[in-house]
Amino acid sequence: MRGFRQAVHSGVRVAHNAFQHGRRVVINIDRTLGSAARLYSSLAPSLAPLAKELFGEGHASMAHKAISDGISNYQNVRGKVQRAHRMAESITRSVKKEIPSLGIND
């Protein structure tokens, strides 16, 4: 039984470390994309006349639509990831509560 408990503990530790590393990476990506979206939102009105002059009316509006759609799609995926994260946390809490003998700690 001790070997099994050590194996579970080791597996949990590896999974936890992988999760924490992945979480840091995703947080940095999220911050970068959030900053880029805010920057674009603040600069878009000022850049619209320049874009129309350089690329023409149709191309400028296509570019704006593509960027806006990209930001919207990112926000949708972000929401799905956050829901999945909350669900995983809930499942982890349930397992800790129901099977304390596994020794899963925070």
Side-chain angles (χ1 to χ4, degrees):
M1 186 68 174
R2 182 175 176 185
F4 175 73
R5 187 172 297 183
Q6 285 177 335
V8 169
H9 181 70
S10 177
V12 167
R13 188 177 58 239
V14 168
H16 178 75
N17 289 341
F19 173 79
Q20 291 299 327
H21 177 71
R23 185 170 182 250
R24 281 191 299 271
V25 169
V26 169
I27 286 172
N28 287 332
I29 291 170
D30 183 51
R31 285 180 181 160
T32 301
L33 290 176
S35 296
R38 285 190 303 278
L39 180 64
Y40 176 75
S41 295
S42 65
L43 292 178
S46 302
L47 295 177
L50 178 62
K52 288 176 187 174
E53 184 179 318
L54 291 175
F55 306 115
E57 179 73 35
H59 293 296
S61 63
M62 285 177 14
H64 175 72
K65 182 176 177 357
I67 293 170
S68 297
D69 287 349
I71 292 170
S72 176
N73 290 340
Y74 171 73
Q75 293 297 335
N76 289 338
V77 169
R78 184 177 188 270
K80 289 178 183 179
V81 168
Q82 287 178 329
R83 283 189 294 279
H85 177 70
R86 284 192 298 271
M87 185 184 310
E89 285 180 328
S90 174
I91 291 169
T92 302
R93 277 192 304 272
S94 295
V95 169
K96 285 179 185 179
K97 182 180 177 183
E98 294 296 322
I99 314 172
S101 62
L102 289 178
I104 301 172
N105 298 321
D106 290 327

